[in-house]
Amino acid sequence: NAGVTQTPKFQVLKTGQSMTLQCAQDMNHNSMYWYRQDPGMGLRLIYYSASEGTTDKGEVPNGYNVSRLNKREFSLRLESAAPSQTSVYFCASSGGVSRIETQYFGPGTRLLVL
Amino acid sequence: AQTVTQSQPEMSVQEAETVTLSCTYDTSESNYYLFWYKQPPSRQMILVIRQEAYKQQNATENRFSVNFQKAAKSFSLKISDSQLGDTAMYFCACMEYGNKLVFGAGTILRVKS
């Protein structure tokens, strides 16, 4: 039982390049989330998916797109990377059976945009 | 909108002693959850403890306990018998209906031997 996994662990991009961050969970959770963590700040929600087939914007969605591929997988895409998107990205999932659920996090992806 | 404030950017404590990390929050909801997450140098986010707002009793998990003051919107974390492995960044977070977490800026805790 791996929990929440993320790939890649680390990536360097040039400004304008695109990439997709992958996230998968094996806990049969309904809800999945993408956060970014910047120095001196807590995690901020980019997008979330309350259930398979649905996605919604969080606090900082500009410059990102997401796909809930199936119940297990939730990807985050940067279409044209900018230096302001240099950050550590975390994926999380939660059960979604109750109204409020504990979120479990992946190990993070460190992204550097030059 | 929810806000979470952690007013202590850094703290240090001697091994085996007790330390308290502060957190205040603001929410308009009557039902919500509060969390403390630990982030060690590995960057993994690890759940430490959680508190349901409707419960009067303070949550405890082994050496970790909270002091939840609902009227004051305060949610502090007490770590007893501090260990070197407790060295980490600690985040306080609030979750309302809809399962969206709002995090504080974090407190770096250093445990000294």
Side-chain angles (χ1 to χ4, degrees):
Chain A
N1 191 344
V4 180
T5 57
Q6 293 182 234
T7 55
K9 286 186 170 54
F10 176 65
Q11 184 73 46
V12 179
L13 289 179
K14 294 181 179 178
T15 297
Q17 287 185 319
S18 62
M19 80 162 293
T20 300
L21 281 64
Q22 306 286 355
C23 173
Q25 52 90 10
D26 61 4
M27 297 177 282
N28 201 34
H29 284 169
N30 290 321
S31 302
M32 297 185 74
Y33 313 83
W34 276 105
Y35 294 88
R36 61 178 288 172
Q37 183 180 21
D38 300 302
M41 303 181 73
L43 280 69
R44 291 182 293 167
L45 184 65
I46 304 171
Y47 270 94
Y48 67 102
S49 170
S51 61
E52 187 178 353
T54 69
T55 60
D56 284 288
K57 295 178 180 179
E59 182 185 351
V60 288
N62 291 343
Y64 305 95
N65 285 301
V66 291
S67 295
R68 183 74 183 268
L69 304 170
N70 47 57
K71 191 171 185 179
R72 289 187 64 249
E73 298 172 289
F74 188 39
S75 63
L76 178 72
R77 182 158 179 86
L78 287 70
E79 292 291 350
S80 178
S84 61
Q85 294 178 303
T86 292
S87 189
V88 180
Y89 292 85
F90 287 94
C91 178
S93 70
S94 65
V97 175
S98 303
R99 289 182 65 209
I100 300 179
E101 291 284 339
T102 297
Q103 293 182 17
Y104 297 91
F105 286 81
T109 293
R110 187 164 156 241
L111 177 66
L112 176 61
V113 183
L114 302 175
Chain B
Q2 303 159 262
T3 59
V4 177
T5 302
Q6 293 179 250
S7 58
Q8 305 152 315
E10 293 188 31
M11 293 193 72
S12 62
V13 63
Q14 287 295 129
E15 205 174 1
E17 293 187 347
T18 295
V19 64
T20 299
L21 308 184
S22 300
C23 173
T24 58
Y25 61 93
D26 191 18
T27 176
S28 57
E29 296 289 329
S30 58
N31 188 26
Y32 52 92
Y33 275 31
L34 297 164
F35 299 83
W36 279 98
Y37 280 90
K38 169 185 176 181
Q39 187 179 43
S42 66
R43 282 205 306 272
Q44 178 75 49
M45 292 289 287
I46 302 165
L47 178 68
V48 175
I49 198 165
R50 79 176 197 177
Q51 173 81 42
E52 294 90 330
Y54 63 86
K55 289 189 176 178
Q56 300 273 7
Q57 189 172 6
N58 288 326
T60 62
E61 288 286 343
N62 300 315
R63 299 183 294 108
F64 299 88
S65 62
V66 298
N67 184 3
F68 174 46
Q69 301 290 329
K70 191 172 184 178
K73 294 184 177 176
S74 170
F75 183 61
S76 60
L77 174 70
K78 185 171 85 170
I79 305 175
S80 304
D81 185 27
S82 296
Q83 301 175 0
L84 295 176
D86 295 334
T87 291
M89 175 81 90
Y90 287 82
F91 290 100
C92 178
C94 179
M95 180 188 287
E96 297 174 349
Y97 177 71
N99 293 322
K100 287 180 280 187
L101 273 173
V102 173
F103 286 85
T107 296
I108 298 172
L109 176 67
R110 294 187 176 86
V111 180
K112 300 178 179 178
S113 59

